């Protein structure tokens, strides 16, 4: 399976994700989803069941929108 790339991005005025301001990147794998980012010079990651559950948790917490880049 090829991972599906996703991100959590700042929202535009209309609530859609702003592709120029993605704050966390992630991969949707066969059995789970992984988000990763840099914080205070260190790499961080979090594991979720799906990217949608990552969006529910981190998206709400940081007011970000789920983003899927076009290949």
């Amino acid at each position: 399976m090829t991972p599906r790339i996703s991100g959590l991005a700042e929202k535009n005025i209309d609530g859609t994700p702003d592709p120029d301001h993605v704050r966390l990147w992630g991969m949707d794998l066969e059995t789970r989803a992984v988000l990763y980012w840099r914080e205070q010079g260190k790499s961080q990651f979090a594991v979720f069941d799906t990217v949608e559950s990552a969006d529910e948790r981190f998206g709400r917490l940081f007011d970000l929108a789920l983003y899927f880049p076009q290949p």
Side-chain angles (χ1 to χ4, degrees):
M1 174 191 170
T2 302
R4 180 173 64 153
I5 303 299
S6 63
L8 290 174
E10 292 181 13
K11 295 178 184 177
N12 291 312
I13 293 171
D14 64 359
T16 60
D18 182 345
D20 293 328
H21 293 100
V22 177
R23 298 298 172 218
L24 297 98
W25 284 103
M27 294 180 286
D28 191 14
L29 304 169
E30 197 168 321
T31 59
R32 53 191 37 44
V34 179
L35 288 180
Y36 56 94
W37 67 96
R38 295 211 28 106
E39 184 177 333
Q40 298 179 353
K42 296 182 180 182
S43 296
Q44 305 288 327
F45 72 94
V47 179
F48 296 90
D49 290 333
T50 64
V51 293
E52 291 78 14
S53 63
D55 177 42
E56 287 178 24
R57 173 107 186 253
F58 277 24
R60 285 185 192 172
L61 183 64
F62 299 111
D63 196 31
L64 301 171
L66 187 56
Y67 169 67
F68 293 101
Q70 299 300 315

